Amino acid sequence: MEERPKKLLILYATQTGNALDVAERVGREAERRGCPVHLISIDQYDTSCLAQEGTVIFVVSTTGQGDTPDPMKGFWKYLLQRNLSGQWLEGLHYAVFGLGDSGYQKFNFVAKKLDRRLLDLGATPIIQRGLGDDQHPSGYEAALDPWMISLWNMLNNINPKYFPNGPEFLIPYENFMAEPKVRIQYHDIKQVDSQFSTNSGNLIERARRVSPVKFSLDKNRPDCILKLVKNEPLTKSGSIDKEVHHFEFEFVSSAIEYEVGNVLEVLPSQNPAAIDSFILRCNLDPESFITVHPSEMENQLLDACTPIKLKTFVELTMDVASASPRRYFFEARIYIFATAEHEKERLQYFVSPEGRDDLYQYNQRERRTVLEVLEDFPSVQMPLEWLVQLVPPLKTRAFSISSSPSAHPNQVHLTVNVVSWTTPFKRSRAGLCSNWLAKLDPEQCVYVPVWFQKGSLPPPPPSLPLILIGPGTGCAPFRGFVEERAIQSLTGSTAPVMFFFGCRNEDNDFLYREFWISHSQNGGVLSEAKGGGFYAAFSRDQSQKVYVQHKIQEHSRRVWNLLREGAAVYVAGSSTKMPADVLLAFEEIISKESGLPQESAVRWLRALEKAGRYHVEAWS
């Protein structure tokens, strides 16, 4: 018998889960063609073994302003070692698919630099890298589908053993997804130890451990539980444009050390009415106790897991009324569970090549939730095994910390924009976490599970001059920076700080107005007397819009002088146009004040970035 090749290795690097979705889809399509796969997160792979692999498929996302996702940082650092020769990966064939957003300046930067580095190390590309664009009318799938077709054909040319029946052969979805990958075991309620229902940290950890979703190991159990002590609106009441809240939390037990510039990840609570509706719609018993196991798990191992109440499991792991279901939700034979013929036909059309764009419009563009999809197709009755496998996971939401631990030793502060928007078909949508937080009442003894993470803004030493740009809620991390610098100035000399803030109206959304003004007067750390300054741009308070980049250019001489003294630039806020506009403003200032041509100013800024003195933290 001819020896079959080892499994096709697919490595993914994801920040929010989208790259995992794509990697799983690539894996499914390979398996449907008879090719076994090994799918693994890049941070769980031993990079030193890369030279021994025959073929690797990489699926990587780009975060922030061209940053590698957190799980990829160690892998990328290994690839950049200078002792790796140009022949190290000579026997490796690879393909790269990137997920990005062309609204960002460094579109798919991580996929591009990974492709270049693999080439430099001697690896051979199977096909040209694929670049998915979230801005495309059909999303990243517009690039993914043709890329995969080319991938299978070229992979078959390299090694026909990957596809015993050829790359055109396809196992029908009906057969390929005949059985769920998990099984549910129900337990007698009397045998369940009641102690597990009391500690919320324990509950979250248990729920996430038994979930089939690949949560990072350090994300199973929260770092701590915080108590909400203040929820205060910062914007003018009744403002139709924007609603921003200031939150203060206290550590319940011992405080966790954090630094300015760090990020707090919050696990939101879902709307109880939505949870009840989902459970009712799916004919589930909320009071039953369950354990979730991989289908292939041995029977004798099943009793090792502690049961959890079904309703609690749904609340803590399954996003039923916020996230849109993945394409996999529709591919995985959902139409098999429809009894109404017209619903079955519609669902089959959605997973056909002809229906791809319509599915994208119906699902992702309209941000339909799992509950809404199930309500749109009332004859569908999916077993719990499939729901657990297919419903999107409940994810944490990340917020820049807006306090200094030196100024608030037992507290963490957040500055949160309450998110809402209208879909292309004029349906109102609301962000799950921000709207949940905004409705919380500190008087009700609210406890919130959180994780602390390093952000993109490293804490600066007191001797480093700073130029900070933070319009809107982008000011959040810099509130912590200024608090920290103010504390440091009490015991020693500190370098100047210039801060450029922006909002729409001085009267409506001038966040932390008194705080900034107080630190810019009487020799404060933002005062011009100390070499710094505070400058606010109110974009809608005059006929011609004024943004932070205009204020930076107004003070070009002082900005240039600080840059020459070794200042670091920190930018935070919306990822749409602001970071690119600010970068262009700096290019123009450097060119104007130094007399250098624009190309030299661009190189000057690149050198600043490479030296670790130009940082951006942006979010969409």
Side-chain angles (χ1 to χ4, degrees):
M1 290 180 65
E2 286 192 31
E3 186 183 347
R4 286 284 303 279
K6 61 181 178 178
K7 292 180 177 180
L8 178 64
L9 178 61
I10 302 174
L11 297 178
Y12 65 89
T14 188
Q15 191 74 19
T16 62
N18 289 331
L20 170 58
D21 292 348
V22 170
E24 287 180 336
R25 176 140 188 259
V26 173
R28 286 195 302 275
E29 292 300 321
E31 288 176 334
R32 287 184 70 204
R33 288 161 173 80
C35 175
V37 303
H38 179 42
L39 181 77
I40 184 172
S41 176
I42 208 161
D43 59 344
Q44 295 172 16
Y45 177 74
D46 183 353
T47 315
S48 65
C49 297
L50 196 59
Q52 280 77 59
E53 305 290 352
T55 306
V56 182
I57 311 301
F58 294 92
V59 180
V60 297
S61 62
T62 295
T63 69
Q65 300 299 304
D67 301 323
T68 55
D70 290 337
M72 188 175 168
K73 289 189 180 349
F75 175 87
W76 183 243
K77 187 177 180 182
Y78 189 99
L79 289 194
L80 293 181
Q81 291 179 108
R82 292 184 179 179
N83 63 340
L84 297 178
S85 74
Q87 292 80 44
W88 182 56
L89 296 179
E90 221 164 35
L92 177 72
H93 288 87
Y94 75 92
V96 174
F97 188 85
L99 284 81
D101 185 325
S102 57
Y104 286 74
Q105 190 179 19
K106 293 186 176 180
F107 169 61
N108 259 314
F109 188 68
V110 173
K112 293 172 184 175
K113 72 179 183 180
L114 174 61
D115 186 28
R116 284 194 299 268
R117 185 56 180 157
L118 293 171
L119 271 173
D120 291 344
L121 294 171
T124 304
I126 302 167
I127 55 170
Q128 188 175 359
R129 66 191 175 222
L131 302 177
D133 184 4
D134 202 41
Q135 294 283 336
H136 191 280
S138 298
Y140 56 74
E141 287 178 352
L144 178 62
D145 288 347
W147 181 84
M148 279 198 296
I149 292 170
S150 298
L151 175 64
W152 310 138
N153 290 327
M154 294 305 293
L155 200 53
N156 188 58
N157 292 341
I158 292 168
N159 187 350
K161 289 182 181 178
Y162 276 117
F163 306 108
N165 300 304
E168 305 300 321
F169 171 79
L170 275 177
I171 300 170
Y173 276 120
E174 292 90 318
N175 301 336
F176 178 67
M177 298 180 184
E179 298 296 331
K181 293 180 181 178
V182 299
R183 55 175 160 156
I184 308 294
Q185 187 174 18
Y186 289 84
H187 299 266
D188 185 345
I189 192 169
K190 295 171 187 172
Q191 297 174 359
V192 176
D193 192 336
S194 62
Q195 66 167 315
F196 291 105
S197 62
T198 57
N199 185 310
S200 57
N202 279 343
L203 272 180
I204 293 166
E205 182 178 20
R206 284 172 45 232
R208 289 161 81 90
R209 274 192 188 281
V210 299
S211 168
V213 175
K214 299 176 177 71
F215 292 109
S216 300
L217 292 177
D218 60 349
K219 288 289 185 69
N220 278 334
R221 185 179 181 85
D223 289 338
C224 68
I225 306 293
L226 297 178
K227 182 182 180 183
L228 178 67
V229 293
K230 181 180 276 191
N231 174 3
E232 180 178 81
L234 294 175
T235 44
K236 193 172 184 179
S237 177
S239 173
I240 58 170
D241 291 329
K242 194 176 275 283
E243 182 184 351
V244 179
H245 285 237
H246 170 79
F247 297 95
E248 296 182 7
F249 300 92
E250 283 184 352
F251 290 96
V252 177
S253 52
S254 58
I256 286 183
E257 289 186 12
Y258 71 91
E259 298 178 298
V260 294
N262 282 180
V263 167
L264 193 72
E265 294 192 6
V266 176
L267 184 69
S269 287
Q270 302 189 75
N271 184 334
I275 296 292
D276 291 341
S277 296
F278 174 80
I279 289 172
L280 182 65
R281 167 64 184 80
C282 298
N283 294 322
L284 303 174
D285 177 6
E287 299 303 314
S288 61
F289 280 79
I290 62 167
T291 46
V292 183
H293 312 278
S295 295
E296 66 276 7
M297 184 178 277
E298 298 290 335
N299 284 330
Q300 61 265 31
L301 298 176
L302 298 184
D303 294 332
C305 301
T306 306
I308 189 168
K309 188 181 282 191
L310 186 147
K311 183 175 181 178
T312 304
F313 181 82
V314 173
E315 287 172 332
L316 296 177
T317 67
M318 299 168 67
D319 193 336
V320 303
S322 168
S324 296
R326 297 171 294 173
R327 181 184 172 116
Y328 187 24
F329 184 88
F330 296 90
E331 288 175 344
R333 299 171 69 249
I334 181 176
Y335 55 84
I336 296 294
F337 302 114
T339 54
E341 198 58 38
H342 68 285
E343 292 181 19
K344 190 186 291 280
E345 288 176 4
R346 179 77 171 152
L347 290 165
Q348 285 177 312
Y349 167 72
F350 275 157
V351 297
S352 69
E354 301 77 27
R356 186 194 69 188
D357 289 352
D358 284 341
L359 174 59
Y360 184 79
Q361 294 294 332
Y362 166 80
N363 187 41
Q364 287 101 314
R365 291 274 288 170
E366 281 297 300
R367 291 294 297 269
R368 273 188 173 78
T369 68
V370 169
L371 180 56
E372 287 174 332
V373 171
L374 292 173
E375 287 172 342
D376 283 350
F377 297 92
S379 78
V380 170
Q381 288 298 330
M382 295 180 77
L384 181 57
E385 286 81 357
W386 280 107
L387 291 167
V388 166
Q389 185 179 327
L390 298 175
V391 171
L394 181 64
K395 296 176 182 175
T396 59
R397 271 61 166 180
F399 300 97
S400 298
I401 292 175
S402 57
S403 55
S404 156
S406 304
H408 308 280
N410 197 44
Q411 290 195 335
V412 186
H413 297 178
L414 295 182
T415 309
V416 177
N417 180 35
V418 183
V419 179
S420 62
W421 72 97
T422 305
T423 70
F425 285 99
K426 308 302 179 190
R427 287 152 34 92
S428 296
R429 305 274 84 176
L432 171 63
C433 192
S434 62
N435 281 271
W436 167 67
L437 285 170
K439 294 180 176 71
L440 294 180
D441 181 0
E443 299 295 319
Q444 301 297 314
C445 278
V446 179
Y447 296 93
V448 178
V450 299
W451 291 257
F452 287 83
Q453 304 288 344
K454 285 196 180 302
S456 307
L457 307 175
S463 59
L464 181 66
L466 300 175
I467 301 171
L468 312 176
I469 300 96
T473 52
C475 73
F478 304 137
R479 180 175 179 266
F481 277 40
V482 170
E483 285 184 333
E484 184 91 348
R485 188 63 60 102
I487 297 273
Q488 292 164 343
S489 70
L490 298 176
T491 54
S493 62
T494 55
V497 182
M498 291 182 78
F499 177 41
F500 296 90
F501 172 75
C503 64
R504 293 184 177 183
N505 307 105
E506 184 174 4
D507 291 337
N508 289 343
D509 56 341
F510 191 171
L511 310 180
Y512 300 115
R513 173 183 187 144
E514 290 76 19
F515 175 83
W516 308 121
I517 291 173
S518 68
H519 283 287
S520 66
Q521 296 174 344
N522 305 319
V525 293
L526 290 178
S527 65
E528 293 188 356
K530 286 283 184 74
F534 170 69
Y535 310 101
F538 307 112
S539 62
R540 308 295 168 87
D541 278 353
Q542 58 284 310
S543 56
Q544 191 166 358
K545 292 177 182 175
V546 176
Y547 296 112
V548 282
Q549 61 267 26
H550 301 127
K551 287 293 179 180
I552 296 168
Q553 287 173 320
E554 271 182 35
H555 299 274
S556 64
R557 168 61 59 169
R558 298 191 59 237
V559 167
W560 171 239
N561 287 340
L562 263 192
L563 286 172
R564 285 198 307 169
E565 290 170 20
V569 177
Y570 286 75
V571 183
S574 169
S575 63
T576 47
K577 286 187 65 190
M578 184 274 295
D581 289 341
V582 166
L583 188 68
L584 182 60
F586 276 110
E587 287 174 11
E588 291 172 354
I589 286 170
I590 292 164
S591 179
K592 171 188 163 189
E593 299 296 340
S594 68
L596 292 169
Q598 189 87 0
E599 307 82 59
S600 300
V602 170
R603 285 197 295 274
W604 201 96
L605 272 173
R606 276 206 197 113
L608 195 71
E609 194 174 349
K610 282 191 175 177
R613 287 170 42 218
Y614 195 104
H615 306 280
V616 179
E617 185 162 270
W619 50 85
S620 53

